[in-house]
PDB file of all heavy atoms in Angstrom:
ATOM      1  N   MET M 242       0.839  -1.200   0.025  1.00 37.00           N
ATOM      2  CA  MET M 242      -0.027   0.004   0.016  1.00 37.00           C
ATOM      3  C   MET M 242       0.933   1.238  -0.013  1.00 37.00           C
ATOM      4  O   MET M 242       1.813   1.326   0.802  1.00 37.00           O
ATOM      5  CB  MET M 242      -0.879   0.001   1.260  1.00 37.00           C
ATOM      6  CG  MET M 242      -1.838   1.172   1.258  1.00 37.00           C
ATOM      7  SD  MET M 242      -2.832   1.136   2.818  1.00 37.00           S
ATOM      8  CE  MET M 242      -3.620  -0.407   2.597  1.00 37.00           C
ATOM      9  N   PRO M 259     -18.650   4.272  15.528  1.00 49.00           N
ATOM     10  CA  PRO M 259     -19.360   2.914  15.523  1.00 49.00           C
ATOM     11  C   PRO M 259     -18.415   1.861  14.919  1.00 49.00           C
ATOM     12  O   PRO M 259     -17.720   2.165  13.952  1.00 49.00           O
ATOM     13  CB  PRO M 259     -20.561   3.226  14.680  1.00 49.00           C
ATOM     14  CG  PRO M 259     -20.796   4.694  14.718  1.00 49.00           C
ATOM     15  CD  PRO M 259     -19.386   5.253  14.839  1.00 49.00           C
ATOM     16  N   ASP M 372     -17.402 -13.382  32.769  1.00 87.00           N
ATOM     17  CA  ASP M 372     -16.946 -12.407  31.824  1.00 87.00           C
ATOM     18  C   ASP M 372     -15.865 -11.441  32.433  1.00 87.00           C
ATOM     19  O   ASP M 372     -16.208 -10.738  33.424  1.00 87.00           O
ATOM     20  CB  ASP M 372     -18.138 -11.553  31.309  1.00 87.00           C
ATOM     21  CG  ASP M 372     -17.821 -10.533  30.235  1.00 87.00           C
ATOM     22  OD1 ASP M 372     -16.636 -10.595  29.750  1.00 87.00           O
ATOM     23  OD2 ASP M 372     -18.649  -9.661  30.006  1.00 87.00           O
ATOM     24  N   VAL M 400      -9.733  -7.082  22.847  1.00 96.00           N
ATOM     25  CA  VAL M 400      -8.761  -7.925  23.429  1.00 96.00           C
ATOM     26  C   VAL M 400      -7.706  -7.096  24.072  1.00 96.00           C
ATOM     27  O   VAL M 400      -7.152  -6.159  23.477  1.00 96.00           O
ATOM     28  CB  VAL M 400      -8.100  -8.845  22.469  1.00 96.00           C
ATOM     29  CG1 VAL M 400      -7.177  -9.828  23.215  1.00 96.00           C
ATOM     30  CG2 VAL M 400      -9.189  -9.644  21.747  1.00 96.00           C
ATOM     31  N   LEU M 438      -1.031  -5.862  15.328  1.00 94.00           N
ATOM     32  CA  LEU M 438      -2.446  -6.163  15.373  1.00 94.00           C
ATOM     33  C   LEU M 438      -2.654  -7.432  14.523  1.00 94.00           C
ATOM     34  O   LEU M 438      -2.635  -7.362  13.313  1.00 94.00           O
ATOM     35  CB  LEU M 438      -3.297  -5.019  14.875  1.00 94.00           C
ATOM     36  CG  LEU M 438      -3.187  -3.653  15.629  1.00 94.00           C
ATOM     37  CD1 LEU M 438      -4.174  -2.695  15.033  1.00 94.00           C
ATOM     38  CD2 LEU M 438      -3.409  -3.902  17.114  1.00 94.00           C
ATOM     39  N   TYR M 493     -15.653 -40.848   2.577  1.00 93.00           N
ATOM     40  CA  TYR M 493     -15.989 -40.079   1.321  1.00 93.00           C
ATOM     41  C   TYR M 493     -15.272 -38.719   1.235  1.00 93.00           C
ATOM     42  O   TYR M 493     -14.863 -38.211   2.317  1.00 93.00           O
ATOM     43  CB  TYR M 493     -17.508 -39.824   1.173  1.00 93.00           C
ATOM     44  CG  TYR M 493     -18.312 -41.128   0.899  1.00 93.00           C
ATOM     45  CD1 TYR M 493     -19.191 -41.546   1.907  1.00 93.00           C
ATOM     46  CD2 TYR M 493     -18.185 -41.804  -0.241  1.00 93.00           C
ATOM     47  CE1 TYR M 493     -20.010 -42.694   1.682  1.00 93.00           C
ATOM     48  CE2 TYR M 493     -18.972 -42.938  -0.430  1.00 93.00           C
ATOM     49  CZ  TYR M 493     -19.889 -43.336   0.480  1.00 93.00           C
ATOM     50  OH  TYR M 493     -20.640 -44.509   0.312  1.00 93.00           O
ATOM     51  N   GLY M 511     -12.378 -32.856  -1.699  1.00 96.00           N
ATOM     52  CA  GLY M 511     -11.128 -33.321  -1.118  1.00 96.00           C
ATOM     53  C   GLY M 511     -11.290 -33.656   0.348  1.00 96.00           C
ATOM     54  O   GLY M 511     -12.358 -34.002   0.796  1.00 96.00           O
ATOM     55  N   VAL M 516      -9.658 -21.862   6.019  1.00 98.00           N
ATOM     56  CA  VAL M 516      -9.759 -20.432   5.908  1.00 98.00           C
ATOM     57  C   VAL M 516      -8.988 -19.803   7.053  1.00 98.00           C
ATOM     58  O   VAL M 516      -9.344 -20.022   8.192  1.00 98.00           O
ATOM     59  CB  VAL M 516     -11.273 -20.014   5.855  1.00 98.00           C
ATOM     60  CG1 VAL M 516     -11.333 -18.481   5.692  1.00 98.00           C
ATOM     61  CG2 VAL M 516     -12.050 -20.673   4.806  1.00 98.00           C
ATOM     62  N   PRO M 611       7.364  -5.616  14.564  1.00 91.00           N
ATOM     63  CA  PRO M 611       6.618  -6.658  13.811  1.00 91.00           C
ATOM     64  C   PRO M 611       7.413  -7.400  12.776  1.00 91.00           C
ATOM     65  O   PRO M 611       7.194  -8.523  12.483  1.00 91.00           O
ATOM     66  CB  PRO M 611       5.462  -5.784  13.217  1.00 91.00           C
ATOM     67  CG  PRO M 611       5.325  -4.649  14.144  1.00 91.00           C
ATOM     68  CD  PRO M 611       6.714  -4.334  14.596  1.00 91.00           C
ATOM     69  N   LEU M 623      10.645 -22.452  12.083  1.00 92.00           N
ATOM     70  CA  LEU M 623      10.324 -23.183  10.903  1.00 92.00           C
ATOM     71  C   LEU M 623      11.598 -23.413  10.087  1.00 92.00           C
ATOM     72  O   LEU M 623      11.544 -24.132   9.025  1.00 92.00           O
ATOM     73  CB  LEU M 623       9.361 -22.447   9.989  1.00 92.00           C
ATOM     74  CG  LEU M 623       7.942 -22.262  10.640  1.00 92.00           C
ATOM     75  CD1 LEU M 623       6.981 -21.617   9.674  1.00 92.00           C
ATOM     76  CD2 LEU M 623       7.334 -23.632  11.080  1.00 92.00           C
TER      77      LEU M 623
END
Side-chain angles (χ1 to χ4, degrees):
M242 182 182 299
D372 183 12
V400 185
L438 300 184
Y493 291 113
V516 178
L623 298 182

